[in-house]
Amino acid sequence: MTPPVTKVSASIIIFDPIDRILLAKRSYKKLEDPGLWETIGGTLEFGESPETCLRREVTEEIGCKIASLQLFNVYNYFDGKTHLISVVYLGVLFGRPQINKMEIEDIRWFTEFEIDSIEFSVNCKQRVLDYFLFKEIQKQNLN
C-alpha cells in the first residue's frame, strides 16, 4: 500500500483592469488533466517558497514576470491518496506572454460570465469563483 502524500503548490490569478482573468490550457502532453484550463502555477521544489515557485512557474510557462503579488487564499484538497495544499495569489502580468508549448496549449483572458463554459483542471474552478466573489464584495464595500 502506498502511503499518503502531501504536496504544496502555488498558483496565481492574473487579472487585468477590466476584471478578466488569464487562464492557461494545459498541454495535451501532460499526464494529469491534459487540455483542461487552470490558473498558472505549479508544485514547490524542495526548499522553495511559494512566492519563488510562483515566479519561476510564470517565467517557465509564459515567459513573463508578475507584479503586485498578493496572497489570496490557501486551499486544501484531498483525493484519498494525496493531500494538496495550494497557495493562491493575485497578481498583474508584466510583459507579453510567450507560451511554453511543453506546458501550455493556449492562454486566454476570461470574464466572470464565461467561467461556467470552461472545463477546468481539478480544483481550479473554485479558486476562480472565489476571486470573482471577492471582487464583487469589494465593489459593494466601495458603494
Side-chain angles (χ1 to χ4, degrees):
M1 186 166 116
T2 306
V5 175
T6 299
K7 294 181 181 180
V8 180
S9 71
S11 68
I12 185 167
I13 297 172
I14 298 170
F15 60 93
D16 70 5
I18 57 173
D19 285 338
R20 296 179 304 170
I21 60 168
L22 185 68
L23 296 176
K25 188 174 192 178
R26 292 176 61 87
S27 169
Y28 290 108
K29 298 171 186 157
K30 292 282 193 178
L31 295 176
E32 294 179 12
D33 299 334
L36 300 182
W37 291 90
E38 66 181 355
T39 54
I40 295 171
T43 304
L44 274 69
E45 294 178 356
F46 183 78
E48 190 174 46
S49 73
E51 295 88 356
T52 301
C53 170
L54 190 55
R55 292 181 192 284
R56 175 182 53 78
E57 289 287 347
V58 170
T59 300
E60 287 175 5
E61 293 181 9
I62 60 172
C64 291
K65 303 292 182 196
I66 45 177
S68 305
L69 196 60
Q70 175 187 348
L71 180 63
F72 177 61
N73 205 347
V74 178
Y75 295 87
N76 283 283
Y77 305 108
F78 304 92
D79 71 1
K81 293 178 260 176
T82 303
H83 172 202
L84 176 63
I85 300 167
S86 185
V87 184
V88 181
Y89 292 84
L90 303 178
V92 177
L93 199 61
F94 183 74
R96 186 179 185 101
Q98 303 291 320
I99 297 172
N100 175 348
K101 285 292 195 175
M102 294 298 293
E103 300 282 334
I104 295 173
E105 288 295 320
D106 193 12
I107 57 172
R108 195 176 129 213
W109 292 98
F110 289 93
T111 67
E112 176 181 8
F113 306 105
E114 296 172 291
I115 298 307
D116 284 334
S117 66
I118 302 167
E119 193 172 356
F120 280 92
S121 177
V122 66
N123 304 314
C124 283
K125 185 174 185 176
Q126 188 61 54
R127 303 172 201 175
V128 171
L129 292 173
D130 288 351
Y131 167 75
F132 285 117
L133 178 60
F134 170 74
K135 293 303 285 185
E136 185 60 34
I137 291 169
Q138 275 188 326
K139 286 178 190 174
Q140 289 176 5
N141 288 338
L142 292 175
N143 294 332

